[in-house]
Amino acid sequence: MTTKVLMKGSEAIAEAAILSGCRYFFGYPITPQNEIPEYLAKHLPKVGGTFLQAESEISAIYMVLGGAAAGARVMTSSSSPGISLKQEGISYMAGAETPCVIVNIMRGGPGLGAIQGAQPDYWQATRGGGHGDYRLLVLAPATVQEAVDLTYQAFDLADKYRNPVMILGDGILAQIMEPVELPEANNQLPDKAWAVGKNENRPRNIVSSSYPKVDELEKVSIRLHERYAQIKKNEVRWDSYLTDDAEYVIASYGSAARIAKAAIKMARAEGIKVGLIRPISVWPFPTEPFQNIVPQTKFFLSFEMCTGQMIDDVRLAIGNERPVYHYGRLGGVIPLPEELLAKIKELVKEAK
Amino acid sequence: MDKVSSFPKTLVDVPMHYCPGCTHGIIHRLVAEVIEEMEIAFKTVGIASVGCSCFCYDYFNFDVVASAHGRAPATATGVKRVHPECLVFTYQGDGDLAAIGTAEIIHAAVRGEKISVIFVNNGIYGMTGGQMAPTTLPEMKATTSPYGRSTALTGYPIKMTEMLALQDGCVYAERTKISSVATINKTKKAIRKSFELQIAGKGFSVVEILSTCPTNWGMEPLESIKWMEENLETYYPVGLIKDEKEVK
Amino acid sequence: MHELLLAGFGGQGVMLMGKILAYAGMKEEKQVMFIPSYGSEMRGGTANCSVILSEEEIDAPVVSKPTVLVAMNTPSFDKFESSVKENGIIILNSSLITKETTRENVKIVKVPASDIAKGLGNERIINMVLLGTLIAVTNCVKVGSIMASLKEILPPHRHNLLPLNQKAIEDAMSLVK
Ligand SMILES: Cc1ncc(C[n+]2csc(CCOP(=O)(O)OP(=O)(O)O)c2C)c(N)n1
Ligand code: SF4
Ligand SMILES: [Mg+2]
């Protein structure tokens, strides 16, 4: 029998990291994700790991770069303003092909904004975020269980593709408690021949994102983009709900997708045939399920807790074939299923 | 009416959001009183940092710019360069000034930036719920040092004001505390001196104020003042650290 | 499905009460979710959390129209009274809340919880008193699951409080019947 434990989203992410073999965490406090560093401050020392609070997010991400270059499984976590500060380091890590896991528990922005959960960092997460032509693999859990599963996998994916992986959550997911089943501890970590450290029996290793010769940098960029193509081929993840007969399709991820599901149940009770496509990997974006459902669909509705960012990817997926609308609440206001239902009904009426 | 004469016009008369027994409220009032007494409210610009005091613009009744976590001295620099005739001060916590904002504060002092710094040191990150700060004392428990601050792992508490005083651009540095009427008056004097030096066109100055965070220290307000004097103060001695006369 | 909203001021044990309910629900193999309020909201002195207990998968991580409101003090009652679902229940701590409700379509259960807790010699167990009332009125979880959860949640050095907690819960339950 598997036992379930009741865990806060943030603590579950922290525990999943430990189980996945992460032994180093560098971070800096910021609400609403403080329970991640606080949990790791308590529990990493018990497994021989190191928790270190940096003097800033900038410092923390470069500690991650160092730890990752040294071959360890390393994580950092923050919330929107802190993630902005990390962008330089993330770009360096993408360029130096160093794996790591970065957690962004999004809150209302821009600027200092507010500490309530929101989804305003989709563009930043899915378009690279920092300078340079790079991508992160970005996974967006909707439940505490999914947060555990994706965090656990994130370390493997980061190592497999030698690229930073981001867990994109929000303040709601980080704060709620739900029962979870935890995976087994991973004791078999991959060998990293490229990492720095003791080098008695091998030629020296260099971990760098600096390629002063343009033709060399072009080659590296091509290599990175071939790798991104592999990721696009192998790592697209998504879920759907009541799409078989759907005439209207909602696109939504993370906590918003759960609200969408509740609204869809209400709409179905009134005979409105609406379904949900929920991207789990927001980069790579699941374009195919959207393309495949175009023939039966009258319109798409992107439901996000921001002014509409993922809507761009829905449009890119389906082109001009169907209208794509947006609904969402801003600044950390949580949209209610009833509101979304009202929007669906309004659009359905217009579509007729 | 009486009330108007006793309550500084430089403060907005609304209830503050600080926890019971928090010293931020007293320090706000001291800053406001000095500005009122010097009759400079019309040319004062405060720079809010990020910490429990980030909403100080709700209370200060003069212009305020809200900067990002740790960056208030840089923002103050921008304001001061545009308006050299203004009194420009930053109001920063220890997490803000002594952790993420170390570079900005040191370089403001190095440049001899003509600003005043009100540095509220409670040895902890108050706003985010009690994490360890660089100012946290050895063995002190915080949410990110659950077993007590280990100096082997995280080093020793940082003495920012001493560091700032070392810079030639710094003309005045003093550490005070909030624990009694006498120490409150001393703090007020220090704030006034810093503001007067700035108005006189001297240079960078800092007043560090030892404070309390009863909520995250897990203490009653009175108990926290005692703890501050018996612990924080032994590591961070109160007194003048650099006086104007020492400036070459 | 029970959508419970628990509200009071910090120190009244609102969060613990919510966690115990979610734990107990999990023990009974229900679907559960615990949703705390957080941040500066709490510094103002009021704290609240929601708990969803359901036989089916829980979708939205938000409770906007609770089926039950437990109000421990007047500010919480004022803030959330109007949000309670039609035909829902308001359990209020009548030791502190002397107002009458303006709602017509809800059931009101008054419990002098602070007084009962004081009578038991520990004002801090007001949350257990109201927990007892809540489970007696709603049957949302069994008292056995609550006690088992308490044992797991409370750190061992607090286990000496278990009998007192149990008494508070049971006394409150017997008042309802
Ligand atoms: C870039 C960034 N990182 C982190 C935070 C979160 N944060 C807000 S306040 C604070 C610490 C405040 O501590 P301190 O400066 O000591 O002020 P106090 O609340 O103790 O008065 C932190 C880390 C933030 N707002 N922005
Ligand atoms: S958390 Fe600490 S610093 Fe912040 S208002 Fe409360 S007592 Fe003051
Ligand atoms: Mg502080």
Side-chain angles (χ1 to χ4, degrees):
Chain A
M1 198 185 93
T2 46
T3 48
K4 287 200 168 182
V5 282
L6 190 66
M7 286 189 106
K8 220 177 209 202
S10 43
E11 295 179 342
I13 287 172
E15 181 60 34
I18 293 178
L19 291 171
S20 191
C22 170
R23 289 294 176 272
Y24 298 86
F25 179 92
F26 305 104
Y28 187 78
I30 186 165
T31 313
Q33 63 80 56
N34 288 317
E35 293 83 352
I36 297 176
E38 288 169 357
Y39 187 94
L40 291 167
K42 215 185 226 163
H43 295 280
L44 267 180
K46 293 182 189 167
V47 291
T50 298
F51 166 88
L52 193 59
Q53 185 176 305
E55 75 277 16
S56 71
E57 290 87 351
I58 300 177
S59 179
I61 193 71
Y62 286 102
M63 291 176 183
V64 170
L65 194 160
R73 289 202 155 173
V74 194
M75 180 164 92
T76 187
S77 70
S78 190
S79 175
S80 308
I83 293 292
S84 289
L85 284 178
K86 288 184 198 291
Q87 292 302 337
E88 182 194 70
I90 297 172
S91 168
Y92 275 64
M93 294 190 79
E97 298 167 72
T98 38
C100 72
V101 175
I102 302 149
V103 181
N104 182 5
I105 300 299
M106 294 180 282
R107 63 186 223 181
L112 193 57
I115 58 174
Q116 307 304 326
Q119 298 180 312
D121 305 344
Y122 180 92
W123 282 335
Q124 186 197 55
T126 56
R127 268 62 183 165
H131 66 281
D133 199 359
Y134 72 96
R135 292 286 193 278
L136 304 180
L137 210 170
V138 187
L139 305 171
T143 64
V144 178
Q145 183 67 58
E146 203 171 47
V148 166
D149 299 341
L150 293 177
T151 305
Y152 189 80
Q153 293 167 29
F155 287 92
D156 289 333
L157 291 169
D159 283 343
K160 179 172 175 191
Y161 296 105
R162 281 185 64 182
N163 201 66
V165 175
M166 179 174 277
I167 300 291
L168 189 67
D170 56 68
I172 302 170
L173 176 74
Q175 293 295 322
I176 58 169
M177 291 180 98
E178 291 186 294
V180 288
E181 268 172 46
L182 294 169
E184 298 219 342
N186 177 4
N187 300 317
Q188 273 173 347
L189 302 186
D191 219 25
K192 295 177 184 175
W194 50 265
V196 300
K198 278 195 211 132
N199 62 359
E200 286 149 84
N201 301 317
R202 57 161 171 79
R204 72 196 189 106
N205 282 336
I206 304 216
V207 177
S208 168
S209 66
S210 170
Y211 297 96
K213 296 198 187 98
V214 289
D215 50 343
E216 218 181 308
L217 181 56
E218 187 179 44
K219 258 189 231 147
V220 173
S221 301
I222 290 167
R223 187 173 75 232
L224 288 183
H225 282 265
E226 279 164 1
R227 196 172 307 154
Y228 300 148
Q230 283 298 310
I231 295 176
K232 275 186 177 176
K233 208 173 110 210
N234 304 335
E235 308 301 342
V236 174
R237 289 163 165 76
W238 55 282
D239 190 17
S240 66
Y241 179 64
L242 303 182
T243 45
D244 284 356
D245 62 344
E247 294 172 4
Y248 317 101
V249 172
I250 294 177
S252 191
Y253 71 99
S255 293
R258 302 182 71 159
I259 298 167
K261 226 166 157 178
I264 288 168
K265 281 182 187 162
M266 294 171 172
R268 287 271 170 177
E270 297 186 28
I272 303 170
K273 289 187 178 162
V274 53
L276 169 76
I277 296 178
R278 176 172 72 89
I280 296 172
S281 58
V282 283
W283 198 90
F285 188 79
T287 47
E288 256 180 48
F290 285 99
Q291 285 162 352
N292 294 344
I293 208 163
V294 166
Q296 71 189 67
T297 305
K298 297 204 174 95
F299 66 73
F300 292 83
L301 171 58
S302 191
F303 175 58
E304 314 164 55
M305 295 190 285
C306 68
T307 53
Q309 300 187 6
M310 189 175 73
I311 187 173
D312 289 1
D313 284 333
V314 179
R315 284 206 179 108
L316 282 173
I318 65 158
N320 289 326
E321 302 259 343
R322 294 290 183 275
V324 187
Y325 304 104
H326 165 263
Y327 182 71
R329 295 294 298 265
L330 315 175
V333 177
I334 303 176
L336 299 177
E338 290 82 1
E339 291 172 42
L340 179 58
L341 175 66
K343 182 73 186 180
I344 294 168
K345 282 158 98 172
E346 177 197 316
L347 291 172
V348 167
K349 209 166 141 196
E350 274 169 28
K352 275 183 178 152
Chain B
M1 275 187 346
D2 269 40
K3 203 176 158 209
V4 181
S5 61
S6 62
F7 195 85
K9 285 193 214 66
T10 41
L11 272 188
V12 183
D13 193 2
V14 291
M16 292 187 181
H17 72 285
Y18 300 111
C19 308
C22 178
T23 38
H24 272 305
I26 299 171
I27 299 166
H28 283 15
R29 182 154 181 149
L30 295 180
V31 169
E33 282 176 3
V34 170
I35 289 168
E36 181 164 78
E37 286 160 21
M38 290 174 69
E39 298 181 352
I40 49 172
F42 71 96
K43 59 169 179 177
T44 295
V45 182
I47 314 295
S49 65
V50 179
C52 279
S53 63
C54 67
F55 304 118
C56 67
Y57 47 75
D58 286 342
Y59 314 126
F60 286 139
N61 198 8
F62 41 75
D63 289 2
V64 177
V65 182
S67 189
H69 195 29
R71 320 296 178 209
T75 304
T77 299
V79 172
K80 187 72 183 183
R81 296 288 170 131
V82 173
H83 293 304
E85 70 290 0
C86 283
L87 178 95
V88 180
F89 74 91
T90 67
Y91 188 110
Q92 301 178 258
D94 49 310
D96 190 270
L97 181 144
I100 193 167
T102 322
E104 282 75 5
I105 193 71
I106 292 279
H107 285 278
V110 165
R111 291 191 304 269
E113 208 60 60
K114 294 181 182 57
I115 60 169
S116 299
V117 175
I118 309 297
F119 169 28
V120 180
N121 183 358
N122 55 12
I124 206 159
Y125 289 83
M127 177 171 231
T128 39
Q131 294 79 14
M132 192 192 88
T135 45
T136 298
L137 299 182
E139 305 308 323
M140 184 173 160
K141 278 193 180 158
T143 60
T144 49
S145 56
Y147 308 111
R149 178 174 183 172
S150 150
T151 50
L153 184 68
T154 67
Y156 293 85
I158 191 168
K159 294 188 169 162
M160 284 305 296
T161 306
E162 282 82 350
M163 247 161 94
L164 294 169
L166 280 178
Q167 311 310 318
D168 291 340
C170 173
V171 296
Y172 167 56
E174 177 151 8
R175 185 180 288 120
T176 68
K177 61 178 172 178
I178 299 287
S179 58
S180 63
V181 176
T183 56
I184 289 174
N185 286 338
K186 266 195 186 161
T187 303
K188 185 170 171 185
K189 256 191 212 144
I191 295 171
R192 176 147 190 152
K193 183 164 172 182
S194 162
F195 286 3
E196 282 174 350
L197 285 169
Q198 185 186 153
I199 296 286
K202 296 292 173 166
F204 179 94
S205 64
V206 53
V207 180
E208 174 179 345
I209 306 167
L210 297 185
S211 305
T212 63
C213 178
T215 299
N216 290 303
W217 292 0
M219 294 177 198
E220 295 299 321
L222 285 179
E223 190 188 354
S224 70
I225 287 177
K226 189 161 174 261
W227 193 89
M228 179 257 281
E229 290 191 300
E230 285 171 3
N231 297 280
L232 263 193
E233 197 182 336
T234 54
Y235 209 93
Y236 301 108
V238 161
L240 189 63
I241 294 169
K242 183 178 198 175
D243 203 6
E244 201 212 337
K245 289 180 276 298
E246 293 173 34
V247 180
K248 282 157 238 156
Chain C
M1 183 158 84
H2 298 278
E3 293 182 280
L4 317 171
L5 176 58
L6 319 174
F9 42 68
Q12 283 184 317
V14 177
M15 296 295 168
L16 180 64
M17 185 176 167
K19 269 186 212 170
I20 293 168
L21 280 161
Y23 241 91
M26 183 176 74
K27 285 198 175 299
E28 294 178 11
E29 308 215 340
K30 291 184 162 60
Q31 304 290 320
V32 304
M33 189 188 285
F34 167 79
I35 312 167
S37 65
Y38 64 91
S40 52
E41 236 178 275
M42 291 165 75
R43 201 154 296 155
T46 60
N48 69 79
C49 65
S50 307
V51 178
I52 307 176
L53 300 164
S54 172
E55 303 303 327
E56 278 146 45
E57 185 191 5
I58 297 169
D59 300 317
V62 47
V63 170
S64 61
K65 287 196 186 112
T67 55
V68 183
L69 165 67
V70 178
M72 297 200 187
N73 61 3
T74 308
S76 315
F77 179 70
D78 290 344
K79 190 168 173 193
F80 297 115
E81 183 196 4
S82 62
S83 70
V84 177
K85 211 177 208 146
E86 243 174 74
N87 303 319
I89 303 169
I90 300 180
I91 298 173
L92 56 84
N93 175 9
S94 58
S95 310
L96 296 182
I97 307 168
T98 48
K99 284 187 177 169
E100 293 299 324
T101 183
T102 51
R103 295 279 306 267
E104 285 174 359
N105 47 9
V106 296
K107 179 176 163 188
I108 299 285
V109 181
K110 294 182 184 176
V111 200
S114 307
D115 295 320
I116 295 176
K118 251 183 250 166
L120 287 167
N122 187 342
E123 233 184 303
R124 301 194 60 157
I125 55 167
I126 170 184
N127 55 347
M128 295 300 140
V129 176
L130 287 162
L131 188 54
T133 311
L134 175 69
I135 58 174
V137 171
T138 62
N139 279 320
C140 61
V141 287
K142 297 187 191 77
V143 64
S145 324
I146 293 274
M147 288 315 299
S149 307
L150 252 176
K151 212 168 174 176
E152 277 174 40
I153 294 177
L154 286 185
H157 68 273
R158 286 277 156 81
H159 280 188
N160 57 332
L161 291 174
L162 287 173
L164 181 66
N165 283 323
Q166 181 155 8
K167 180 147 178 37
I169 292 170
E170 283 169 357
D171 282 6
M173 290 179 77
S174 64
L175 273 182
V176 173
K177 274 155 200 164

